[in-house]
Amino acid sequence: MQAVLNYPKIAVIRPQGCLNAANALEFERDMATALAQNGISTLVVDLAAVESLDSAGLMALLSTHKLALTLGRNCQLCAVAPQIRMIFELTQLDRVFEILDAEAELAQT
């Protein structure tokens, strides 16, 4: 018997600096383009280099999350700095997004 493994194709977006009204539309467009690629099953948004996030940036992430659900794909966040994570917790969006915690992942292995 032959085993067949299906590995998901993952796209990674790494925004930098501030995610705000000045660049939220471009950010959302980049994420939507990545999600729309054939074969992509998961979009990971690496927030390690994000210094600040306002409501427009949050809306871009929410719109992308909704698009991912519509397409039957995953949208995950990773490397979320404590000050950015606090925004997700205060808005209770930490319950909406899957936020990958590298330290917790390493501890489980």
Side-chain angles (χ1 to χ4, degrees), residues 27-98:
F27 175 51
E28 184 177 347
R29 190 172 28 246
D30 290 346
M31 291 187 295
T33 300
L35 266 177
Q37 293 176 15
N38 284 337
I40 295 297
S41 61
T42 301
L43 173 66
V44 176
V45 183
D46 181 347
L47 298 176
V50 172
E51 299 167 5
S52 66
L53 178 70
D54 74 359
S55 60
L58 278 175
M59 288 306 297
L61 286 166
L62 274 171
S63 294
T64 301
H65 178 70
K66 184 177 178 181
L67 175 62
L69 291 176
T70 301
L71 296 173
R73 298 176 182 181
N74 296 319
C75 180
Q76 302 170 333
L77 308 178
C78 74
V80 182
Q83 69 271 18
I84 303 296
R85 183 179 286 268
M86 187 181 309
I87 294 169
F88 285 95
E89 291 170 357
L90 289 171
T91 58
Q92 296 186 353
L93 290 174
D94 59 327
R95 298 177 185 184
V96 173
F97 288 99
E98 183 176 355

Side-chain angles (χ1 to χ4, degrees), residues 8 13 15 21 23 34 82:
I13 298 279
N23 58 15

